[in-house]
Amino acid sequence: MTLSIFALGGINEIGKNMYVVQYEDDIFVIDCGAKFPDESLLGIDLIIPEMTYLEENREKIRGLVVTHGHEDHIGGVPYFFKKLKAPVYATDFTLGLIELKLSEHKLLRGTELKKINSDSELDFGKIKVSFFKVSHSIPDCLGIVFHTPEGNVVHTGDFKFDLTPANDEQSEIHKMARIGTEGVIALLSESTNAERTGLTPSERMVAGHLEEAFMKAEGKIFVSTFASNVNRIQQVVEAAIKTDRKLALLGRSMVNVVDVAIERGYLNVPEGMLIQPQVVDQLDPGKVAILCTGSQGEPMAALSRLSTGNYRDVSIYPGDTVIMAASPIPGNEKDVSKIIDNLFKLGAKVIYGSGSTTGMHVSGHGYQEDLKLMLTLMKPKYFIPIHGEYRMLHHHRLLAESVGVERGHTFIIKNGDIVDIENGEARQTRNIPAGDTYVDGVSVGDVGEIVLRDRKQLSEDGMLVIVLTLSKAERKIISGPDTISRGFVFVKNSEDLMRDVNSLVTKTVTELQEDNVHRWNVIKQGIKKAVGQHIFQQTRRKPMILPIIIEI
């Protein structure tokens, strides 16, 4: 029998993580993440994995096992359940975040949610599943072990080896070593920081720097961080307690995550410490701290609106301190820089920069020494680096070989490539469909390359709408053509060009009718071709041309 391992997302990219382990008729899905679009995907809200293979094999899915609650691992869960049914296995805090998402999509009632922890063992007959605790930048993170007839397959989840974690939840290094001693046929390990040398600094390092900044600050303090980084939020709470400050929360995701964390016991906030944003400006500025979203420069997030003075209840005044307690994800640097500029213009003191510069942020992903330690503990026969762009996967392969993984036993795959293991031997010879599914408003997968190409054309060169009315009996032009420009040229400043376009349309239609061509689609194509060529010659631009013919 064949053991198959593949990714539907998360390889050669950062985001939309989704991995699959299959043995015979048992399919286990690991995570279902999303990623945010870049500026080329106009109007797209979210990108999730293509799930064609899972839809075609829906009766074989035994469960969706979730390693932790970050968006790039749970952002696609509601869309998974709009197409498929399977139990969800996740830790208490992760389930809390998943429940929030399912409630928003009105899917909570029909979904089977099963709480697990690092000591849980699941028995699916031929496959058994166990777990081990790992440290990351969000509570309740797990690595997963699939005990199969071919051997153990280990998925690390996102991890680092933090020996002094802020929440005192230690990585289960002894359990990892025991798993490695039992034998690991294949290891899937995250590669985010495979280029960075050394060990990842401890989260506890941030506490001292936060406390020092709180002690020095005179006005209000704004701290922007990932809402999911509950350990960081706890450290902000501790610094606020020591400096006798009340705490307000800005941003929907910050409020939601803090509610879940307090309710489930992952965050300790003293009674009466949290205040509503509406009362912030009524209090002594030296007695208030504000936790807000927007550390990645998101235009509608709280920090962005604060930086432009557009947040309804709270304002930043000269002398206030703003702490950026997160590093920009690659691609977000420009947006973050713009916000920092705006904050300085408001007269704020801004503490920003990489973690080593300010001490306000440490990564939740392991550096090279962390990754080598995981490889050394697990001692896999085969290695599949995941969760990263190609260069990260490449560096992770070199790390694996440096600690004893045999050369040729590392598979750098693409989304959809299947690694098959049979009789202890692995090969990669086949693949399945895997790509991006676009979420646009309420529609999922309806927007494809043609629609995006049209949006790009409209955004760059605008459009021309050409309206003309034909007589049904005589097939002659009764009125028009009238040309309407949107995003192409300002009509009043381009009257000569518009006049030429209208004349060209009249000439084109007349010539086609003289050739006994009366089909609308042919006339429309003729107009688009003639007008398009003329406009390109005159302007070197290619607006979208929409001929509208009315017949009366």
Side-chain angles (χ1 to χ4, degrees):
M1 297 299 175
T2 303
L3 169 66
S4 300
I5 303 165
F6 54 94
L8 293 174
I11 305 282
N12 294 317
E13 61 186 348
I14 299 293
K16 75 176 181 65
N17 290 282
M18 191 180 215
Y19 307 94
V20 178
V21 173
Q22 179 172 0
Y23 185 79
E24 292 186 32
D25 290 335
D26 293 325
I27 290 177
F28 299 90
V29 183
I30 306 161
D31 295 340
C32 183
K35 71 176 181 179
F36 294 106
D38 59 29
E39 62 275 6
S40 68
L41 297 173
L42 300 160
I44 300 301
D45 299 318
L46 208 60
I47 306 170
I48 59 174
E50 180 185 341
M51 302 183 201
T52 307
Y53 180 84
L54 297 180
E55 290 176 57
E56 290 171 352
N57 295 274
R58 62 180 69 237
E59 73 287 345
K60 299 178 183 177
I61 300 173
R62 301 293 167 252
L64 169 61
V65 190
V66 182
T67 58
H68 66 285
H70 275 146
E71 278 297 306
D72 58 334
H73 296 261
I74 66 168
V77 168
Y79 306 100
F80 178 93
F81 284 109
K82 286 178 181 179
K83 297 182 176 184
L84 299 159
K85 282 223 179 303
V88 182
Y89 298 91
T91 53
D92 187 32
F93 184 68
T94 307
L95 279 183
L97 299 180
I98 290 172
E99 284 176 15
L100 276 177
K101 290 189 169 297
L102 294 177
S103 295
E104 286 177 12
H105 288 261
K106 297 181 172 53
L107 292 167
L108 191 53
R109 184 174 294 178
T111 309
E112 194 178 352
L113 302 177
K114 294 181 177 287
K115 186 159 69 175
I116 55 172
N117 58 43
S118 61
D119 295 324
S120 299
E121 293 184 359
L122 310 176
D123 191 339
F124 295 92
K126 291 177 182 171
I127 309 290
K128 292 179 175 56
V129 185
S130 63
F131 305 91
F132 55 92
K133 196 181 296 181
V134 293
S135 295
H136 187 39
S137 55
I138 188 171
D140 254 7
C141 299
L142 295 177
I144 309 169
V145 188
F146 295 92
H147 304 266
T148 81
E150 280 289 340
N152 293 342
V153 176
V154 175
H155 184 294
T156 64
D158 289 5
F159 74 95
K160 68 190 231 186
F161 286 100
D162 190 339
L163 302 181
T164 54
N167 60 357
D168 293 324
E169 291 290 326
Q170 309 283 348
S171 301
E172 294 182 319
I173 299 175
H174 293 89
K175 190 185 276 190
M176 296 179 206
R178 190 166 68 248
I179 293 162
T181 304
E182 291 170 3
V184 174
I185 188 74
L187 173 68
L188 288 73
S189 181
E190 71 128 323
S191 311
T192 314
N193 278 335
E195 300 165 280
R196 302 177 72 169
T197 58
L199 278 163
T200 317
S202 171
E203 176 65 32
R204 204 173 286 259
M205 183 196 86
V206 176
H209 295 283
L210 272 172
E211 193 175 315
E212 183 184 351
F214 269 62
M215 293 285 190
K216 289 180 178 177
E218 294 173 0
K220 297 192 296 295
I221 299 175
F222 295 80
V223 182
S224 182
T225 189
F226 292 109
S228 59
N229 196 337
V230 174
N231 298 336
R232 186 78 42 84
I233 292 170
Q234 184 68 63
Q235 293 182 129
V236 171
V237 169
E238 301 298 332
I241 292 169
K242 288 179 181 175
T243 53
D244 193 27
R245 289 177 182 262
K246 298 286 188 184
L247 190 64
L249 308 175
L250 303 184
R252 189 166 66 98
S253 61
M254 184 66 73
V255 172
N256 287 342
V257 172
V258 167
D259 282 350
V260 170
I262 291 173
E263 179 192 328
R264 301 191 178 222
Y266 293 89
L267 188 62
N268 298 312
V269 182
E271 190 78 29
M273 184 179 191
L274 290 178
I275 58 172
Q276 292 300 313
Q278 293 88 332
V279 303
V280 165
D281 283 343
Q282 300 168 19
L283 299 176
D284 176 355
K287 297 294 181 183
V288 182
I290 295 105
L291 262 169
C292 62
T293 55
S295 63
Q296 298 305 305
E298 306 95 314
M300 294 307 294
L303 187 63
S304 178
R305 289 155 60 200
L306 285 164
S307 75
T308 55
N310 287 324
Y311 204 91
R312 188 176 58 195
D313 301 314
V314 184
S315 299
I316 294 177
Y317 296 113
D320 288 345
T321 299
V322 181
I323 299 170
M324 307 284 283
S327 293
I329 293 168
N332 294 344
E333 296 91 348
K334 188 177 175 184
D335 294 331
V336 173
S337 296
K338 187 176 178 182
I339 287 174
I340 293 169
D341 281 349
N342 290 339
L343 292 169
F344 277 120
K345 287 175 187 174
L346 291 174
K349 177 188 177 185
V350 189
I351 301 173
Y352 67 99
S354 64
S356 57
T357 308
T358 65
M360 294 298 179
H361 177 66
V362 296
S363 178
H365 300 274
Y367 291 7
Q368 288 185 352
E369 298 306 312
D370 302 67
L371 300 180
K372 281 154 61 175
L373 178 54
M374 179 65 79
L375 284 156
T376 303
L377 290 168
M378 293 296 173
K379 299 193 285 290
K381 180 176 181 181
Y382 294 105
F383 176 52
I384 304 173
I386 58 169
H387 198 300
E389 293 166 354
Y390 186 86
R391 67 185 184 282
M392 302 166 187
L393 309 179
H394 168 77
H395 282 290
H396 207 170
R397 172 175 60 188
L398 298 180
L399 294 176
E401 290 173 359
S402 75
V403 295
V405 173
E406 193 175 321
R407 185 170 291 188
H409 279 204
T410 298
F411 291 89
I412 295 186
I413 57 175
K414 299 188 290 292
N415 292 331
D417 287 352
I418 300 175
V419 176
D420 289 315
I421 301 175
E422 197 168 2
N423 300 322
E425 296 300 317
R427 64 188 186 283
Q428 198 287 299
T429 57
R430 62 191 183 103
N431 52 51
I432 56 165
D436 293 339
T437 299
Y438 300 132
V439 178
D440 184 1
V442 295
S443 70
V444 181
D446 294 345
V447 176
E449 293 303 322
I450 294 171
V451 173
L452 288 171
R453 190 183 64 208
D454 287 348
R455 287 181 182 178
K456 188 170 187 291
Q457 186 179 3
L458 285 166
S459 72
E460 290 175 350
D461 293 324
M463 69 185 294
L464 281 179
V465 180
I466 301 166
V467 184
L468 68 156
T469 307
L470 297 178
S471 162
K472 193 170 187 178
E474 299 176 4
R475 300 190 184 277
K476 290 182 179 178
I477 297 174
I478 298 173
S479 71
D482 295 316
T483 302
I484 303 160
S485 169
R486 289 290 181 270
F488 170 54
V489 291
F490 185 51
V491 173
K492 284 187 178 177
N493 295 343
S494 307
E495 289 178 355
D496 291 344
L497 179 62
M498 294 296 104
R499 202 178 300 116
D500 290 346
V501 167
N502 290 339
S503 299
L504 186 58
V505 172
T506 303
K507 181 184 174 194
T508 303
V509 173
T510 303
E511 287 176 352
L512 284 168
Q513 288 178 335
E514 286 172 357
D515 291 339
N516 214 25
V517 174
H518 301 293
R519 285 167 57 196
W520 282 17
N521 61 333
V522 179
I523 294 173
K524 285 181 177 181
Q525 286 301 322
I527 292 170
K528 286 167 78 170
K529 183 178 179 183
V531 172
Q533 287 175 347
H534 177 74
I535 284 175
F536 185 72
Q537 287 169 359
Q538 297 298 315
T539 66
R540 287 294 182 267
R541 287 154 70 187
K542 292 182 177 180
M544 181 177 286
I545 298 164
L546 293 179
I548 298 174
I549 300 173
I550 303 166
E551 197 173 60
I552 58 172

